[in-house]
Amino acid sequence: MTEIKPHGSHFGSFDAVVEGGRLVAARPFARDPFPGSLLQSIPDAVHSAARIDRPYVRAGWLKGGRRGSARGGDAFVPVSWDQAIRLVAEETARVRGEHGPASILGGSYGWSSAGRYHHARTQLHRFLGLGGGFTAQVTNYSYGAGMTLMPHILGTNEVIQGPVTDWVSIRDNAKLMLCFGGLPLKNGLITSGGSGAHEYVPLMKAAAEAGVRFVNISPFRGDTAEFMGAEWVPIRPNSDAAMVFAMAHVILEAGREDRDFLARCAVGFDRFSDYVLGRADGTPKTPEWAEALTDVPAATIRRLALEAAGAPTMLTATWSIQRAEHGEQPWWALVALAAMLGGIGRPGQGIAFGYGSMNGIGTPRLEVPSVGGVPVKNPCGAYIPVSRITELLERPGEILQYNGRNLLLPDIRMIWWAGGNPFHHHQDLGRLLRGWNRADTVVVSEPWWTAVARHADIVLPATTTLERNDIGSSSRDRFVRAMHQAIAPIGQARNDVDIFADIADALGYRAAYTEQRDEMAWLQHLYGLWRRACAGQGIEVPDFTTFWEAGHVELPAPETPYVQFAEFRADPEANPLNTPSGKVEIHSETIASFGYEEAPGHAVWREPREWLGSELAQRYPLHMLSFQPFTRLHGQLDVGRVAAANRVGGREPIHMHADDAAARGLNDGEVVRVFNDRGVIAAGLRVTDAIRPGVVAMATGAWWNPARPGATDAPCLHGNANVLTQDVPTSRLGQGSAAQSCLVQIERWPGELPPITVHAPPPVTEAP
Ligand SMILES: Nc1nc2c(c(=O)[nH]1)N[C@H]1C(S)=C(S)[C@@H](COP(=O)(O)OP(=O)(O)OC[C@H]3O[C@@H](n4cnc5c(=O)[nH]c(N)nc54)[C@H](O)[C@@H]3O)O[C@H]1N2
Ligand SMILES: Nc1nc2c(c(=O)[nH]1)N[C@H]1C(S)=C(S)[C@@H](COP(=O)(O)OP(=O)(O)OC[C@H]3O[C@@H](n4cnc5c(=O)[nH]c(N)nc54)[C@H](O)[C@@H]3O)O[C@H]1N2
Ligand SMILES: [Mo]
């Protein structure tokens, strides 16, 4: 018998096709114009051999191995659920009692699943918060530097997260769109919370067909689709700010800046222009100056600057540009350039970030909130900017400077993760593991034996979304999706909420945690709150039962295109920005007052430590970009067929220019050794002319497979880029991840290469 159930995921909405209790297919939602391929991997992942079948405890931990013991190498001991719950409850009570709530790192960064109620990270926060609190993680890996900067200079993060000036407005009004980092189609496969419809492809196509000219300023030609007909400007990584300053220089020399906009709507332009013209530091930021840094010919920079000054232009950058050392600077420079061009607040012009970073940025949609998750309060005030996790573990009791504040780093005794994978997302994994091993106890709930589960002490098997009921919803998508349970839990897997409820019970606060609602009662409650919020905005949506039976709600599309900052531009006195001056801060007194040399009061050029212009490039002459995978969502779906079909020699592919391959005597399809002072990984070589020489690129997300499990310096046999990436912050201002600032060398893999092992469970043993 075949059953069909509506369902959703970050990778797209689908109909779950179930036969004999197994998910056999994930059929694209009928309303999705561009469902993408990732859905094909869902059945593989749900029924993968890498599912965690029952609770486990690390053998060494059971023998008393706490602070300082090596993780990732021991076998796991199977335990009952009762035993697991008791061990976790006792250890939580001990750590809270002896060391206080801040000694529990519960930030648990990660994407979890699309369903809003069962969202594991939110549920963990609720559970830990009600129990006294935890050390939290603020900002994100996606645009952590940018989201710290933008409130200072534009008064909002909507310029990153949306709503931004939409594609219809761009189509109808722009003539030129300069895309730093391009508009990679692969990134639009994803929407956090689930996409009902991937509308970005038809929207982009329509803009190209309407005559908008696109320029892909990126080391990788593949960052714009063929159908965009884009000009490719193969810039050096981490040098975008220099190109933007030079464009500003050209515009100033030609007297083409929009004096009216600058006078009415911006502050600090004079200081910026002094810097660009070299009055401040003796270095005019000419196109020739920038050519030496960016490898973009001065003539190209001049031409693009004058073209932008002469036609309605939209500026954009991907989020990746700021995921680099000094990543705040290219974004701030672009805001300054947009102010000089004067298009901010005009239809189809101005600036916004991320049109190429995720489905839904720029999709026309009414501004109603998404269905919310469970409420969370954290009575403990301790936090770190998310990507400073290794520093947190390395230097307890010390100060971390961040955005004008001095944060005291707590002494972490217990690490708890649900719905994220730091051994996917963080940089310099060997160093992370050395810090991680300082904790007394690590608790992880996961459906799969991912690297974070393998490096835990207590492993709690979680269900996937297919094994429970939920609601998928995103503020960037017009569809709210019912996610019906399609199959029974696999093995002994349990829902995160039920696990937390039982631990809360052992600790005496079950009722506070559950509010005495079961799954369906919570779904009705959360939906009801959302329905009321919609009604408040004059939008009628059906009641819960109707929604649940229909499988989705579709919100109406807006009648007029959205233009960000339009009211501000029309009357900046009446509609000021939420900045100290109420205007665009090309110079920020606030940021200047922090006194950070690397991030002063306006955008500046600062050389990263690791890039093609640094001395280290003599030993490691290739700049390695680690971009988002078109075959996965981060580490999720790595066990699926789409990722498998893309491996080269069984390893994650790395893209290299033909000249660089020839210079090393390397051939397409062979396995190579990618290395720097931080580590070694295996990768499958893809030789191409779509990447500029001197740059190599590989996707993130291949599950970490150290050749010696538990070692912090073993080669990764699979090709996890984060073994090699650098763990430095963007700056003290943003303290964001700087994953893109990374140099490597590449040679043929010497000798035999063992197979990857991490798609199967780790060794299991009997109780000691
Ligand atoms: N080098 C480099 N590194 C990067 C980046 C880069 O560009 N370059 N990008 C960064 C970015 S932008 C991001 S957002 C991060 C992403 O980092 P993460 O969000 O940590 O990556 P995911 O693999 O999505 O991790 C989610 C985990 O949750 C688990 N999970 C899914 N559903 C459930 C559930 O219901 N319950 C529980 N308990 N677990 C569940 C999944 O199995 C998965 O292991 O990576 C960052 N890392
Ligand atoms: N399929 C798929 N889509 C995803 C995700 C996924 O895992 N899989 N993850 C989602 C998440 S969490 C996020 S945050 C977004 C991230 O969205 P982005 O950060 O925009 O994505 P990336 O793929 O890291 O980078 C986009 C492009 O930037 C270029 N680039 C890198 N460094 C530089 C530079 O210094 N200068 C210039 N000019 N270009 C550069 C690279 O060639 C790369 O292809 O993607 C989302 N979309
Ligand atoms: Mo992200």
Side-chain angles (χ1 to χ4, degrees):
M1 200 189 86
T2 303
E3 282 177 289
I4 310 281
K5 307 262 183 169
H7 215 75
S9 73
H10 298 307
F11 341 109
S13 288
F14 60 96
D15 291 327
V17 184
V18 179
E19 280 170 14
R22 275 182 79 88
L23 179 72
V24 294
R27 244 186 240 154
F29 177 43
R31 300 294 306 279
D32 192 339
F34 186 80
S37 58
L38 292 178
L39 297 179
Q40 293 168 27
S41 284
I42 294 177
D44 304 331
V46 167
H47 296 288
S48 156
R51 285 295 298 271
I52 305 173
D53 59 345
R54 55 175 304 159
Y56 289 96
V57 182
R58 182 172 68 83
W61 190 89
L62 280 177
K63 282 187 240 156
R66 299 287 192 276
R67 187 159 253 215
S69 67
R71 293 183 168 90
D74 284 3
F76 284 95
V77 177
V79 296
S80 68
W81 265 115
D82 282 353
Q83 223 179 332
I85 298 286
R86 187 177 52 74
L87 289 173
V88 175
E90 283 171 8
E91 182 63 357
T92 308
R94 181 192 73 82
V95 172
R96 269 182 190 150
E98 289 176 13
H99 305 286
S103 68
I104 302 179
L105 175 57
S108 188
Y109 181 79
W111 266 53
S112 312
S113 57
R116 300 294 86 179
Y117 165 62
H118 284 287
H119 191 257
R121 183 187 192 205
T122 313
Q123 288 289 357
L124 175 62
H125 289 173
R126 176 176 172 83
F127 161 76
L128 289 174
L130 287 168
F134 58 95
T135 289
Q137 289 172 299
V138 300
T139 76
N140 59 32
Y141 278 80
S142 315
Y143 43 76
M147 72 186 282
T148 308
L149 173 68
M150 289 302 153
H152 290 299
I153 67 171
L154 285 174
T156 178
N157 274 322
E158 286 185 355
V159 70
I160 314 171
Q161 299 162 331
V164 297
T165 297
D166 68 32
W167 276 112
V168 174
S169 179
I170 294 171
R171 180 196 70 192
D172 292 347
N173 297 284
K175 286 281 168 266
L176 176 69
M177 185 156 176
L178 299 179
C179 307
F180 289 81
L183 297 166
L185 281 199
K186 64 179 174 60
N187 287 347
L189 295 173
I190 299 297
T191 317
S192 167
S195 11
H198 294 85
E199 295 180 288
Y200 69 111
V201 176
L203 286 164
M204 283 184 194
K205 261 193 187 142
E209 279 160 13
V212 183
R213 189 172 99 72
F214 289 89
V215 183
N216 173 26
I217 303 159
S218 165
F220 186 49
R221 195 178 60 214
D223 280 338
T224 43
E226 294 273 324
F227 65 71
M228 305 291 279
E231 173 186 352
W232 182 30
V233 178
I235 193 170
R236 252 187 194 177
N238 293 27
S239 73
D240 302 80
M243 175 160 168
V244 179
F245 290 129
M247 291 178 69
H249 192 277
V250 172
I251 289 167
L252 279 169
E253 292 273 271
R256 302 290 296 275
E257 71 274 18
D258 186 334
R259 292 255 147 214
D260 170 64
F261 182 87
L262 290 167
R264 283 194 315 120
C265 300
V267 294
F269 174 65
D270 290 349
R271 301 177 75 157
F272 180 76
S273 59
D274 280 353
Y275 173 77
V276 168
L277 294 171
R279 290 192 196 120
D281 62 357
T283 306
K285 312 300 175 296
T286 61
E288 287 70 22
W289 168 83
E291 177 175 336
L293 299 168
T294 59
D295 264 0
V296 178
T300 305
I301 299 177
R302 241 182 220 108
R303 172 172 56 80
L304 290 174
L306 293 175
E307 192 182 343
T313 298
M314 184 55 133
L315 300 176
T316 191
T318 45
W319 298 340
S320 56
I321 310 281
Q322 57 79 68
R323 222 176 295 120
E325 198 179 359
H326 307 307
E328 297 85 357
Q329 305 307 324
W331 276 29
W332 199 349
L334 275 166
V335 169
L337 180 65
M340 289 174 68
L341 292 174
I344 294 174
R346 281 201 175 121
Q349 302 187 46
I351 175 128
F353 301 91
Y355 289 106
S357 299
M358 198 173 290
N359 178 44
I361 308 288
T363 301
R365 183 187 181 277
L366 289 183
E367 259 329 284
V368 286
S370 57
V371 178
V374 295
V376 173
K377 275 202 199 90
N378 180 13
C380 165
Y383 69 90
I384 56 162
V386 64
S387 77
R388 295 302 87 216
I389 175 173
T390 299
E391 271 195 72
L392 165 71
L393 298 168
E394 283 174 348
R395 29 188 217 99
E398 295 181 29
I399 295 294
L400 180 83
Q401 289 180 289
Y402 167 57
N403 195 20
R405 272 162 263 166
N406 288 332
L407 305 179
L408 178 66
L409 296 175
D411 187 6
I412 298 300
R413 312 301 294 228
M414 185 172 194
I415 301 176
W416 201 321
W417 234 280
N421 182 357
F423 292 95
H424 160 74
H425 62 233
H426 197 55
Q427 286 59 66
D428 197 347
L429 295 183
R431 183 175 156 202
L432 170 64
L433 182 53
R434 289 190 287 279
W436 185 264
N437 285 340
R438 295 177 67 148
D440 291 3
T441 298
V442 180
V443 181
V444 167
S445 75
E446 252 291 341
W448 291 275
W449 281 112
T450 59
V452 69
R454 285 168 193 268
H455 293 86
D457 297 318
I458 303 177
V459 181
L460 308 171
T463 52
T464 69
T465 64
L466 277 303
E467 295 144 63
R468 59 204 189 207
N469 294 300
D470 214 330
I471 299 173
S473 175
S474 161
S475 62
R476 303 190 184 117
D477 194 274
R478 292 194 301 111
F479 293 87
V480 171
R481 187 75 170 153
M483 297 168 65
H484 289 202
Q485 180 173 353
I487 56 171
I490 302 276
Q492 295 182 25
R494 298 185 64 203
N495 299 336
D496 295 278
V497 279
D498 298 324
I499 301 171
F500 295 138
D502 278 2
I503 303 171
D505 191 67
L507 294 169
Y509 59 96
R510 177 191 284 273
Y513 175 72
T514 63
E515 293 181 13
Q516 286 158 350
R517 287 192 192 94
D518 64 7
E519 183 183 66
M520 287 315 280
W522 268 109
L523 296 188
Q524 290 188 35
H525 173 65
L526 297 173
Y527 184 90
L529 293 175
W530 177 71
R531 190 167 181 238
R532 272 205 289 286
C534 289
Q537 285 174 243
I539 301 168
E540 283 297 317
V541 297
D543 64 23
F544 178 80
T545 311
T546 312
F547 153 69
W548 193 252
E549 278 165 15
H552 71 266
V553 167
E554 178 178 3
L555 293 165
E559 275 156 26
T560 46
Y562 180 69
V563 180
Q564 193 175 19
F565 301 122
E567 289 90 8
F568 162 69
R569 183 201 173 85
D571 189 347
E573 307 304 327
N575 311 300
L577 298 182
N578 189 21
T579 57
S581 61
K583 300 186 177 182
V584 178
E585 302 225 339
I586 297 176
H587 180 277
S588 160
E589 291 296 339
T590 311
I591 294 175
S593 75
F594 299 158
Y596 302 147
E597 188 281 331
E598 76 279 24
H602 59 74
V604 291
W605 167 249
R606 290 280 186 272
E607 285 208 16
R609 273 163 277 191
E610 267 192 54
W611 74 305
L612 290 173
S614 58
E615 225 167 80
L616 191 69
Q618 301 190 346
R619 270 200 298 147
Y620 298 116
L622 299 168
H623 192 121
M624 186 188 74
L625 300 178
S626 41
F627 49 42
Q628 309 293 335
F630 75 91
T631 60
R632 290 179 293 260
L633 168 64
H634 318 130
Q636 301 193 53
L637 304 182
D638 192 42
V639 290
R641 68 189 65 185
V642 179
N646 187 47
R647 288 192 191 101
V648 173
R651 321 291 145 169
E652 188 63 26
I654 190 162
H655 301 260
M656 179 186 246
H657 190 270
D659 293 351
D660 290 322
R664 288 165 179 77
L666 299 172
N667 302 311
D668 186 71
E670 69 179 314
V671 177
V672 291
R673 180 173 182 269
V674 190
F675 63 99
N676 60 22
D677 287 342
R678 289 178 288 273
V680 176
I681 65 172
L685 192 65
R686 255 207 199 126
V687 177
T688 170
D689 65 357
I691 197 160
R692 52 157 289 149
V695 178
V696 292
M698 71 188 304
T700 62
W703 285 10
W704 190 28
N705 197 151
R708 282 171 283 116
T712 60
D713 59 356
C716 172
L717 304 174
H718 190 179
N720 185 313
N722 275 328
V723 171
L724 304 174
T725 51
Q726 197 187 183
D727 182 10
V728 295
T730 53
S731 76
R732 283 172 288 177
L733 175 61
Q735 290 284 4
S737 160
Q740 306 305 329
S741 305
C742 174
L743 293 175
V744 299
Q745 179 56 295
I746 296 189
E747 61 190 21
R748 177 161 295 122
W749 187 271
E752 282 297 292
L753 185 61
I756 61 169
T757 52
V758 284
H759 290 154
V764 167
T765 183
E766 287 312 304

